[in-house]
Amino acid sequence: MVDALNSLNDAIYRLGFQSLADCTANGYVSPAELYQFADDAAKHLSYQVGIFTGLDTSIPVTAGVGVYSLPANHVFTLLAWVAPQAGVGGSNQLLRSTPVGNLFALDNTWATTAGESNRYSLDAGSVGTITLYPLPINSGVLNQICQEYPATVAAGASQLALPSVLQDYLTMAMICGARGKESDSAMPEIASHMKQRLDLMDALIAHLWGPGM
Protein backbone atom coordinates (compact mmCIF):
# COMPACT_ATOMS: atom_id res chain seq x y z
CA MET A 1 0.00 0.00 0.00
CA VAL A 2 1.23 3.50 -0.89
CA ASP A 3 0.08 6.66 0.89
CA ALA A 4 0.18 9.89 -1.11
CA LEU A 5 0.42 11.80 2.18
CA ASN A 6 3.92 10.36 2.65
CA SER A 7 4.81 11.50 -0.85
CA LEU A 8 3.42 14.97 -0.14
CA ASN A 9 5.44 15.29 3.07
CA ASP A 10 8.55 14.34 1.09
CA ALA A 11 7.78 16.58 -1.88
CA ILE A 12 7.15 19.80 0.03
CA TYR A 13 10.74 19.95 1.29
CA ARG A 14 12.08 19.23 -2.17
CA LEU A 15 9.92 22.10 -3.42
CA GLY A 16 11.45 24.57 -0.95
CA PHE A 17 8.84 24.68 1.81
CA GLN A 18 9.63 24.44 5.50
CA SER A 19 6.50 22.52 6.40
CA LEU A 20 3.02 21.59 5.25
CA ALA A 21 1.73 24.74 6.96
CA ASP A 22 4.26 26.84 5.01
CA CYS A 23 3.09 25.22 1.76
CA THR A 24 -0.55 25.84 2.66
CA ALA A 25 -0.07 29.49 3.66
CA ASN A 26 2.59 30.73 1.27
CA GLY A 27 2.95 28.21 -1.49
CA TYR A 28 3.01 28.69 -5.23
CA VAL A 29 1.40 25.26 -5.25
CA SER A 30 -1.18 24.06 -2.72
CA PRO A 31 -1.42 20.67 -1.00
CA ALA A 32 -4.68 20.10 -2.90
CA GLU A 33 -2.83 20.59 -6.18
CA LEU A 34 -0.10 18.18 -5.09
CA TYR A 35 -2.75 15.57 -4.34
CA GLN A 36 -4.24 16.28 -7.78
CA PHE A 37 -0.86 15.63 -9.42
CA ALA A 38 -0.70 12.31 -7.57
CA ASP A 39 -4.24 11.48 -8.67
CA ASP A 40 -3.36 12.30 -12.29
CA ALA A 41 -0.35 9.99 -12.02
CA ALA A 42 -2.51 7.17 -10.63
CA LYS A 43 -5.05 7.60 -13.41
CA HIS A 44 -2.18 7.54 -15.92
CA LEU A 45 -0.97 4.24 -14.46
CA SER A 46 -4.44 2.75 -14.73
CA TYR A 47 -4.15 3.10 -18.53
CA GLN A 48 -0.43 2.69 -18.99
CA VAL A 49 0.11 -0.54 -17.07
CA GLY A 50 -1.91 -3.43 -15.69
CA ILE A 51 -1.34 -2.59 -12.03
CA PHE A 52 -4.88 -1.59 -10.98
CA THR A 53 -6.93 -4.70 -11.68
CA GLY A 54 -9.90 -6.23 -9.95
CA LEU A 55 -12.82 -8.63 -10.25
CA ASP A 56 -16.15 -6.93 -10.93
CA THR A 57 -19.38 -8.85 -10.35
CA SER A 58 -21.73 -5.87 -10.23
CA ILE A 59 -23.55 -6.38 -13.55
CA PRO A 60 -26.60 -8.68 -13.56
CA VAL A 61 -27.33 -10.29 -16.92
CA THR A 62 -30.97 -10.45 -18.01
CA ALA A 63 -32.24 -12.90 -20.62
CA GLY A 64 -32.90 -11.07 -23.88
CA VAL A 65 -30.78 -8.01 -23.00
CA GLY A 66 -27.41 -7.72 -24.69
CA VAL A 67 -26.05 -4.25 -23.78
CA TYR A 68 -24.96 -3.27 -20.27
CA SER A 69 -23.40 -0.19 -18.70
CA LEU A 70 -19.88 -0.71 -17.42
CA PRO A 71 -18.80 0.28 -13.89
CA ALA A 72 -17.78 3.91 -13.47
CA ASN A 73 -14.17 2.95 -12.67
CA HIS A 74 -13.82 0.61 -15.67
CA VAL A 75 -10.84 1.11 -17.98
CA PHE A 76 -10.62 -2.14 -19.93
CA THR A 77 -11.93 -5.69 -19.71
CA LEU A 78 -9.15 -8.26 -19.58
CA LEU A 79 -11.32 -11.36 -19.14
CA ALA A 80 -15.08 -11.89 -18.92
CA TRP A 81 -17.53 -14.71 -18.38
CA VAL A 82 -21.22 -15.13 -17.61
CA ALA A 83 -22.10 -17.12 -14.50
CA PRO A 84 -25.68 -18.45 -14.72
CA GLN A 85 -28.21 -17.58 -12.09
CA ALA A 86 -28.86 -20.35 -9.57
CA GLY A 87 -31.82 -22.47 -10.61
CA VAL A 88 -31.71 -21.18 -14.18
CA GLY A 89 -30.39 -23.13 -17.19
CA GLY A 90 -27.05 -22.45 -18.80
CA SER A 91 -23.41 -22.91 -17.93
CA ASN A 92 -20.41 -20.74 -17.15
CA GLN A 93 -19.47 -19.18 -20.47
CA LEU A 94 -16.07 -17.64 -21.07
CA LEU A 95 -16.53 -14.69 -23.42
CA ARG A 96 -14.16 -13.91 -26.29
CA SER A 97 -13.33 -10.25 -26.94
CA THR A 98 -14.66 -9.38 -30.40
CA PRO A 99 -14.70 -5.98 -32.21
CA VAL A 100 -18.04 -5.01 -33.69
CA GLY A 101 -16.68 -5.34 -37.24
CA ASN A 102 -15.95 -8.99 -36.57
CA LEU A 103 -19.45 -9.51 -35.20
CA PHE A 104 -20.87 -8.30 -38.52
CA ALA A 105 -18.49 -10.63 -40.38
CA LEU A 106 -19.53 -13.51 -38.15
CA ASP A 107 -23.29 -12.92 -38.25
CA ASN A 108 -25.04 -10.18 -40.21
CA THR A 109 -27.98 -10.34 -37.79
CA TRP A 110 -25.75 -10.52 -34.71
CA ALA A 111 -27.71 -7.82 -32.86
CA THR A 112 -30.82 -10.02 -32.70
CA THR A 113 -29.30 -13.50 -32.60
CA ALA A 114 -30.10 -15.26 -29.31
CA GLY A 115 -28.24 -18.06 -27.53
CA GLU A 116 -25.75 -18.62 -24.75
CA SER A 117 -23.42 -15.63 -24.95
CA ASN A 118 -19.84 -16.50 -25.88
CA ARG A 119 -18.45 -13.14 -27.02
CA TYR A 120 -18.33 -9.55 -25.79
CA SER A 121 -17.62 -6.27 -27.55
CA LEU A 122 -16.57 -2.93 -26.07
CA ASP A 123 -17.20 -0.96 -29.27
CA ALA A 124 -20.54 -2.36 -30.49
CA GLY A 125 -22.58 -0.05 -28.26
CA SER A 126 -22.13 3.46 -26.93
CA VAL A 127 -19.07 4.49 -24.93
CA GLY A 128 -19.14 2.97 -21.46
CA THR A 129 -21.10 -0.14 -22.40
CA ILE A 130 -20.37 -3.80 -23.04
CA THR A 131 -22.34 -5.86 -25.58
CA LEU A 132 -22.87 -9.61 -25.25
CA TYR A 133 -23.27 -11.90 -28.27
CA PRO A 134 -25.47 -13.81 -28.80
CA LEU A 135 -28.27 -12.15 -26.82
CA PRO A 136 -28.28 -14.11 -23.56
CA ILE A 137 -31.12 -16.60 -23.15
CA ASN A 138 -30.37 -17.11 -19.45
CA SER A 139 -30.10 -14.67 -16.58
CA GLY A 140 -26.93 -14.57 -14.53
CA VAL A 141 -24.01 -12.33 -13.57
CA LEU A 142 -21.34 -10.83 -15.81
CA ASN A 143 -17.94 -11.39 -14.21
CA GLN A 144 -15.06 -9.25 -15.42
CA ILE A 145 -11.41 -8.98 -14.56
CA CYS A 146 -10.81 -5.34 -15.35
CA GLN A 147 -8.25 -2.63 -15.41
CA GLU A 148 -9.79 -0.01 -13.16
CA TYR A 149 -9.40 3.59 -12.10
CA PRO A 150 -8.32 3.85 -8.48
CA ALA A 151 -10.37 6.02 -6.15
CA THR A 152 -9.59 9.74 -6.32
CA VAL A 153 -6.46 10.68 -4.38
CA ALA A 154 -7.17 13.54 -1.98
CA ALA A 155 -6.57 14.67 1.58
CA GLY A 156 -8.11 12.08 3.89
CA ALA A 157 -8.29 9.54 1.05
CA SER A 158 -4.66 9.28 0.11
CA GLN A 159 -3.97 5.54 0.10
CA LEU A 160 -3.49 3.60 -3.11
CA ALA A 161 -3.26 -0.15 -3.63
CA LEU A 162 0.25 0.02 -5.05
CA PRO A 163 3.42 -1.82 -4.02
CA SER A 164 5.34 0.26 -1.47
CA VAL A 165 8.35 0.33 -3.80
CA LEU A 166 6.37 2.78 -5.96
CA GLN A 167 6.05 5.42 -3.23
CA ASP A 168 8.58 7.63 -5.02
CA TYR A 169 6.47 7.52 -8.20
CA LEU A 170 3.88 9.78 -6.56
CA THR A 171 6.59 12.02 -5.09
CA MET A 172 8.11 12.55 -8.52
CA ALA A 173 4.66 13.21 -10.01
CA MET A 174 4.05 15.92 -7.42
CA ILE A 175 7.41 17.57 -8.08
CA CYS A 176 6.91 17.32 -11.84
CA GLY A 177 3.49 18.96 -11.61
CA ALA A 178 4.59 21.67 -9.19
CA ARG A 179 7.70 22.68 -11.12
CA GLY A 180 5.81 22.56 -14.41
CA LYS A 181 3.06 24.83 -13.13
CA GLU A 182 3.18 28.36 -14.52
CA SER A 183 4.43 30.54 -11.68
CA ASP A 184 7.46 32.54 -10.55
CA SER A 185 8.79 29.30 -9.07
CA ALA A 186 8.42 27.25 -12.23
CA MET A 187 11.45 25.15 -13.19
CA PRO A 188 10.71 23.57 -16.58
CA GLU A 189 14.05 21.76 -16.59
CA ILE A 190 13.20 20.03 -13.28
CA ALA A 191 9.71 19.20 -14.52
CA SER A 192 11.20 17.72 -17.70
CA HIS A 193 13.74 15.70 -15.71
CA MET A 194 11.03 14.30 -13.43
CA LYS A 195 8.87 13.47 -16.43
CA GLN A 196 11.73 11.43 -17.90
CA ARG A 197 12.09 9.59 -14.59
CA LEU A 198 8.37 8.84 -14.57
CA ASP A 199 8.54 7.55 -18.14
CA LEU A 200 11.38 5.23 -17.15
CA MET A 201 9.37 3.96 -14.19
CA ASP A 202 6.37 3.42 -16.50
CA ALA A 203 8.51 1.09 -18.59
CA LEU A 204 9.76 -0.78 -15.51
CA ILE A 205 6.25 -1.12 -14.08
CA ALA A 206 4.92 -2.40 -17.42
CA HIS A 207 7.72 -4.97 -17.51
CA LEU A 208 6.88 -6.21 -14.00
CA TRP A 209 3.08 -5.95 -13.97
CA GLY A 210 2.25 -6.02 -17.67
CA PRO A 211 1.25 -3.32 -20.16
CA GLY A 212 -2.04 -1.51 -20.05
CA MET A 213 -4.94 -1.59 -22.47
Side-chain angles (χ1 to χ4, degrees):
M1 188 69 72
V2 164
D3 194 334
L5 176 59
N6 294 333
S7 293
L8 185 145
N9 287 329
D10 187 11
I12 57 176
Y13 296 106
R14 298 170 186 264
L15 293 171
F17 301 112
Q18 296 298 312
S19 64
L20 181 59
D22 181 31
C23 176
T24 302
N26 306 304
Y28 57 90
V29 62
S30 69
E33 287 176 301
L34 293 176
Y35 277 122
Q36 182 61 62
F37 297 141
D39 184 66
D40 291 343
K43 297 296 191 292
H44 166 79
L45 281 180
S46 70
Y47 272 101
Q48 188 74 15
V49 297
I51 200 165
F52 293 112
T53 59
L55 172 62
D56 182 84
T57 60
S58 65
I59 300 176
V61 173
T62 302
V65 178
V67 181
Y68 299 89
S69 295
L70 290 162
N73 64 339
H74 177 273
V75 174
F76 190 72
T77 297
L78 301 171
L79 186 69
W81 68 98
V82 174
Q85 181 179 323
V88 176
S91 57
N92 281 286
Q93 289 291 315
L94 188 64
L95 307 178
R96 180 185 299 178
S97 177
T98 307
V100 65
N102 290 1
L103 290 179
F104 276 109
L106 181 71
D107 179 359
N108 62 3
T109 61
W110 67 266
T112 57
T113 298
E116 280 198 293
S117 300
N118 53 38
R119 296 175 184 266
Y120 73 91
S121 177
L122 295 176
D123 64 349
S126 58
V127 174
T129 64
I130 186 170
T131 301
L132 304 185
Y133 169 85
L135 288 175
I137 56 174
N138 299 305
S139 297
V141 175
L142 178 61
N143 294 269
Q144 298 181 86
I145 297 175
C146 302
Q147 283 180 234
E148 301 172 331
Y149 285 127
T152 299
V153 178
S158 55
Q159 291 193 335
L160 281 166
L162 286 171
S164 57
V165 71
L166 297 182
Q167 183 75 61
D168 284 347
Y169 189 92
L170 299 185
T171 304
M172 288 188 286
M174 290 179 178
I175 296 171
C176 180
R179 289 308 188 186
K181 177 185 176 183
E182 186 173 348
S183 72
D184 291 341
S185 297
M187 293 184 177
E189 69 283 1
I190 298 298
S192 176
H193 176 73
M194 286 299 173
K195 179 61 168 61
Q196 291 178 48
R197 287 193 178 193
L198 290 168
D199 289 344
L200 177 60
M201 288 194 71
D202 283 346
L204 292 172
I205 295 167
H207 176 72
L208 293 172
W209 284 277
M213 56 180 288

